[in-house]
Structures are given as structure tokens and as C-alpha cells.
Amino acid sequence: MKNLFFKRYPKGLVQRIFFRASEFFHLCMRLFFTYISGGTECIFCDAQCFVMPLCSACRTRLFSKISEIFTHRCRICGRHIVSEKDICLSCRENNIFGSCDGIFSVFSYRLWNKELLFKWKIEGVRAFSPFFARIVHNVLCYIEEKFNCRNVAIVPVPPRLGKISETGWDQIDELCQFLACKYGRKILPVLQRISAQQQKKLDRNSRLEKTKNAYVFAPENVFLNRNDEIFSEPVIILDDVMTTGATVEKCASLLKSAGFKKVWVLTLFSAN
């Protein structure tokens, strides 16, 4: 059981040492090449920085937002709200989150935050991966403290078919590698995407419709022992950005149907 879960994200001592050594090597290479090229500009304040286009002051400011994941948020979808009501207008009019027991979102997907995600996800600035992994780990610590639980297992939203072969990587997959090997987080890659269509090309209604059949429970996990203790513990779905919420709701419904009792969602960004 556990070997199946951790096969893609090993966390043994040797694997973790190798991962940290590889991380350090790539960090040195990025630092060297950005230094000889004169550095780069921070995407927020244009200050000169190295390794990744985000200065230390802006990184500190972003980390300070982590403590706000429980304040000024819709209690259903987790999006930022400015009204005194605890449910946003979208959820009051059309609540699609029937399977999610809680949704936590760190940043709003607007202004320069869009550029931050674009650099990482689309342009492939993988130097952001350890930065976002640290943010996710710290947020998980807040969630575990609030709900009195330990080492919540992470279920990554799987990439579309062919993405890794086309681009060489997937941002959520790499994020989970850091979370497993650097922070010792439990990763449960039990979901599979069977659609190759990019959702960013779809409007809201099309997303809601197409997502219904886009994800399945991975075939190798169909015969999981429902008496295993993992099903009684909370799990948290991890994704980079939530727009309509159709993806995380579909994933949550699959996990609930498989026997998981409590399913939360964590996204780095959410579109209001």
C-alpha cells in the first residue's frame, strides 16, 4: 500500500540526500548564470535579484500573506472577499462545492500575482518551485494546527495527458517532489487525468462540462483496501490555481466516492 503511494515521490534517506544535492547543484548553476548575465529584475518592484525574478523583500511580503488564509475568505470556496458576509456572491448564487470539506487559497489571481504564476507555470522558471513548496508546507502547518491533525496527505491534481512529454515537467508534480523529499510530506498520486485538452482555452460553462469526465481514480489504486487507516485521515488536494473550481470539486468527489472521509483543497492562487 504505502510503497504504491510513495513510488513516484520517494522520501527515503538516500533519495532525500540525492534530491537535496541535486537542488543545491541547480541553485548554484542558476546563481552563476544570472550573476554573469548581470542579474534579473523582480517582477513586482524591479529590484535587482538573482536565482529567480523575485527579490527578498517581495518574498517576505508574500510569506506574510500565509497567515491570512483563514481571514476575509469565503467559507465555502476560500476566495478573498471584501464584504461582511462570510460567503461570496458566486457561492450564494451557484455553489458547486458539494464534496469539498474546506478550500484554502493563499493568493488572489490578479495584478502581479498573475505574472508570478505565468513565470512559473508557462515560462517554466523552475526556480520558483522550492519557493512555492515552502509556502505550501507552511500553509499546511497552519491548517494542521488549526484542525489539530498531523502530516495531512497531499493528493496532487494530475497533469493533462501528454503534458510532461511535451514540456518535460509539470509544476504540481515538481512541487510534490519538493514537499516529499525536502519536507517529508505524504503524497498520494491516486488520481489520473484522461483528457489532453487545456482548460485555459475553455470558458466557465465549458470547463464545468468538460471536467465531469476529465479525471478518474488511477487504475492501479482501484483495489485499495478500504479498511486502511489512510481513508479515515484528512487529505488535501493540491493545485496551482482555481478558476471555476470544477477541477478540485471533481477530484474531491472521486476521493469521497473512493472512501476518503474528509477532503480539503489547497490552491496557491484563486480567481475571484
Side-chain angles (χ1 to χ4, degrees):
M1 175 76 66
K2 292 183 178 179
N3 290 335
L4 172 65
F5 284 145
F6 296 135
K7 181 169 59 177
R8 289 178 56 194
Y9 305 101
K11 65 171 188 174
L13 179 60
V14 175
Q15 292 90 344
R16 293 182 70 176
I17 291 175
F18 179 80
F19 183 85
R20 296 298 293 273
S22 176
E23 179 193 5
F24 179 74
F25 171 77
H26 285 96
L27 175 64
C28 292
M29 292 298 293
R30 286 193 296 265
L31 184 61
F32 172 75
F33 284 111
T34 54
Y35 180 78
I36 62 175
S37 63
T40 185
E41 292 183 348
C42 175
I43 60 177
F44 288 108
C45 67
D46 295 331
Q48 187 181 39
C49 48
F50 299 93
V51 180
M52 61 179 173
L54 194 63
C55 69
S56 59
C58 290
R59 291 199 301 269
T60 300
R61 181 177 60 80
L62 288 173
F63 273 113
S64 68
K65 298 293 184 181
I66 295 176
S67 60
E68 301 176 4
I69 60 170
F70 302 120
T71 59
H72 306 295
R73 307 298 175 94
C74 172
R75 63 179 175 85
I76 295 178
C77 69
R79 293 187 175 97
H80 295 254
I81 53 177
V82 294
S83 66
E84 295 182 356
K85 296 182 178 180
D86 60 351
I87 301 178
C88 69
L89 180 61
S90 178
C91 288
R92 292 200 299 269
E93 293 181 347
N94 182 27
N95 178 19
I96 67 169
F97 302 104
S99 301
C100 302
D101 296 302
I103 301 177
F104 310 99
S105 180
V106 187
F107 308 115
S108 61
Y109 186 58
R110 58 188 181 88
L111 302 177
W112 290 111
N113 287 346
K114 286 187 175 182
E115 180 71 10
L116 182 61
L117 182 61
F118 183 84
K119 287 284 186 182
W120 180 48
K121 182 177 181 177
I122 306 302
E123 293 190 356
V125 182
R126 297 171 70 169
F128 282 118
S129 295
F131 169 72
F132 283 128
R134 182 184 170 192
I135 286 179
V136 170
H137 171 69
N138 288 357
V139 170
L140 289 173
C141 289
Y142 271 95
I143 294 173
E144 289 165 346
E145 181 180 1
K146 180 177 177 63
F147 295 100
N148 193 27
C149 54
R150 297 180 60 187
N151 204 8
V152 174
I154 299 170
V155 178
V157 171
R160 61 179 173 82
L161 286 177
K163 179 182 179 181
I164 294 181
S165 61
E166 291 173 8
T167 64
W169 78 303
D170 172 66
Q171 69 279 2
I172 297 301
D173 180 71
E174 184 161 286
L175 198 61
C176 287
Q177 291 179 32
F178 276 97
L179 290 167
C181 296
K182 189 172 183 178
Y183 299 103
R185 290 287 176 181
K186 295 190 297 184
I187 311 296
L188 307 184
V190 296
L191 299 180
Q192 177 182 344
R193 183 171 174 179
I194 57 177
S195 169
Q197 186 173 17
Q198 297 185 44
Q199 292 194 37
K200 65 182 180 180
K201 297 180 179 180
L202 304 176
D203 58 25
R204 176 182 173 82
N205 292 332
S206 298
R207 282 174 180 253
L208 293 172
E209 182 63 30
K210 294 291 184 181
T211 306
K212 291 180 180 179
N213 302 312
Y215 298 89
V216 296
F217 206 57
E220 62 268 26
N221 297 309
V222 170
F223 300 104
L224 292 179
N225 179 7
R226 290 178 180 271
N227 295 322
D228 193 272
E229 63 180 11
I230 196 70
F231 286 97
S232 62
E233 300 174 352
V235 295
I236 191 159
I237 298 169
L238 178 62
D239 204 0
D240 53 0
V241 60
M242 183 178 71
T243 49
T244 62
T247 294
V248 295
E249 172 57 23
K250 175 60 179 179
C251 292
S253 67
L254 286 172
L255 294 176
K256 284 292 184 70
S257 66
F260 288 90
K261 303 300 182 184
K262 185 176 288 294
V263 179
W264 294 324
V265 174
L266 173 59
T267 65
L268 284 167
F269 301 89
S270 64
N272 293 332

